[in-house]
Amino acid sequence: MDRPRITIFDTTLRDGEQSPGCSMNVQEKLRLAQQLDRLGVDVIEAGFPIASDGDFEAVQSIAASLRRPIIAGLARACTGDVDRAWQALQGAARPRIHVFLATSDIHLRYKLRITREKCLEQARESVRHAKSLCADVEFSPEDATRTDVAFLCQVVEAVIAAGATTVNIPDTVGYSMPEEYGNLIRTLRERVAGIDKVTISTHCHNDLGLAVANSLAGVQAGARQVECAVNGIGERAGNASLEEIVMAMRVRPDRYPYETAIASEHLYPSSQMLAEITRVPVQPNKAIIGRNAFAHEAGIHQDGMLKNPLTYEIMTPQSVGVPDSRLVLGKHSGRHALALRCEQLGHQFERRELDEIYRRFVVLADRIKKVQDSHLLELIQDVVSGAVSSDVTGRQGKKFPPAAATLPFPRAVSATAGANANDSHPAHVSGSAGQASVSIPFTDHHSEQEDYLWGV
Ligand code: KIV
Ligand code: ZN
């Protein structure tokens, strides 16, 4: 039986970019958008064109260069914003105008200083205007989860009648609980005329750490679009993390029998690229793409992993694009290892380019002992963009951590604590004292019949 298809709406470049320290320039946004295209997201929210000339330009250049995904531009519910968004989207093959207006009494009274009647009217009129320009219109009642439910139903019904094709239900302040959020989606489906003709979308913030749980509850209740961001970046505590949403559905199809078009092996490279561009590191224990997500420290766990990885891993590192940890990149690494890691991170090079990358890599490895993927990506970017060599090394002091800060590589079995459960195992030991890591020879990681469990 066909599983319902979930549209992945990526807002890394809009809501994500709003988070402290995550702003990106036009070139960086375009580079990341190209990676999101490789990742297979359905919609890229490229920015908020009225917010700044830079955002306008970013939406414009992404719209002009990517043909497959839908490109969305955000607009407040007023003519000026909608027109500006539409102007930025002119070159898009598949444009979407995303209009938002707060609907909760708190926002109406203290922020917008308008009545519910005025809010209803403004929502209807702005969607009508957007629809006169663009066939694909999304509407978001901001702070939906703290909005009076009867009023929310009224607004949603009005924007559908005015031409909205997607209705997004934001948990703007991350206040909702999963059961509550699921019930809200159900209520809208029961009470709003015309709702079956539009796509219902989730947009959950992570203030209570429930963004992913709420989004999944929304999907179970009938939402068919999820708004999320790579590494879970976004306002305050962030948005629902794209990689967690996708892998929850891949690893647990028994609970979440839905399909996405995400090429999951691009999850880790996308995460690394974002970290490299923004210089905001991923927390080590972050699910799916954190440096420790596939590292095993305790002796009992190491023992289990050596006997059968199924004991402690519910998905393979390969299925999310985490490179093979047996290749620890340091100053003794050769060109082949470097070329392979570049390839695993989505970059293939001609001999001459590789020589240059290798030359800079050796200089870097000498300084920081173990070169992480984010460092390598940065180095690649410098070579590709033609940055002079001295610039790279000159900035290393600021960008790269000292050798002492190196940590166990993903999927490495660290031998820093507890007894090594399998001393006789032909494991390769690398790293400095107190920081040894044992790379284990996982070869036939799982059999074919186990593939469903491993999300490959
Ligand atoms: O969190 C929110 O309400 C938003 C809207 C603009 C969709 O980001
Ligand atoms: Zn948001």
Side-chain angles (χ1 to χ4, degrees), residues 84-104:
R84 189 76 175 145
W86 183 235
Q87 213 185 333
L89 290 167
Q90 281 308 293
R94 303 177 69 197
R96 173 180 294 185
I97 300 178
H98 179 189
V99 181
F100 75 100
L101 178 65
T103 49
S104 69

Side-chain angles (χ1 to χ4, degrees), residues 14-15 98 100 140 142 168 170 172 203 205:
R14 199 279 299 168
D15 206 317
H98 179 189
F100 75 100
S140 291
E142 191 190 3
N168 181 40
T172 303
H203 179 108
H205 279 268

Side-chain angles (χ1 to χ4, degrees), residues 151-345:
F151 182 59
L152 183 65
C153 290
Q154 225 184 328
V155 173
V156 170
E157 197 163 306
V159 297
I160 292 173
T165 41
T166 298
V167 174
N168 181 40
I169 305 300
D171 183 24
T172 303
V173 291
Y175 179 71
S176 213
M177 294 289 140
E179 198 188 349
E180 204 177 4
Y181 190 76
N183 284 339
L184 181 60
I185 302 293
R186 269 182 216 100
T187 303
L188 289 166
R189 291 183 69 201
E190 279 158 20
R191 292 204 208 157
V192 173
I195 194 116
D196 49 325
K197 293 183 192 64
V198 303
T199 301
I200 303 175
S201 169
T202 68
H203 179 108
C204 299
H205 279 268
N206 206 30
D207 300 66
L208 292 173
L210 292 168
V212 169
N214 284 338
S215 307
L216 292 172
V219 168
Q220 282 183 314
R224 290 293 173 261
Q225 174 177 287
V226 174
E227 301 198 356
C228 46
V230 174
N231 295 348
I233 65 168
E235 280 281 2
R236 305 179 310 280
N239 279 99
S241 139
L242 183 151
E243 52 280 358
E244 293 176 27
I245 297 277
V246 168
M247 291 315 288
M249 293 181 193
R250 287 273 154 98
V251 173
R252 295 302 306 271
D254 53 328
R255 308 293 300 196
Y256 303 107
Y258 311 101
E259 295 288 350
T260 70
I262 297 297
S264 63
E265 68 279 9
H266 286 293
L267 287 171
Y268 180 74
S270 306
S271 160
Q272 288 288 305
M273 185 186 284
L274 176 63
E276 174 243 312
I277 287 175
T278 60
R279 303 199 183 157
V280 174
V282 179
Q283 74 189 69
N285 60 325
K286 168 78 177 63
I288 317 294
I289 40 75
R291 168 171 81 217
N292 293 348
F294 296 95
H296 303 271
E297 167 111 1
I300 292 173
H301 289 217
Q302 292 175 354
D303 183 40
M305 283 296 295
L306 291 166
K307 286 171 176 156
N308 185 341
L310 276 173
T311 52
Y312 287 105
E313 279 182 356
I314 59 166
M315 66 193 105
T316 60
Q318 295 87 336
S319 68
V320 297
V322 171
D324 191 329
S325 65
R326 284 172 294 175
L327 283 176
V328 174
L329 290 180
K331 67 176 175 181
H332 301 298
S333 304
R335 273 187 179 70
H336 278 120
L338 182 69
L340 179 62
R341 180 60 58 87
C342 289
E343 222 176 294
Q344 288 168 330
L345 292 170

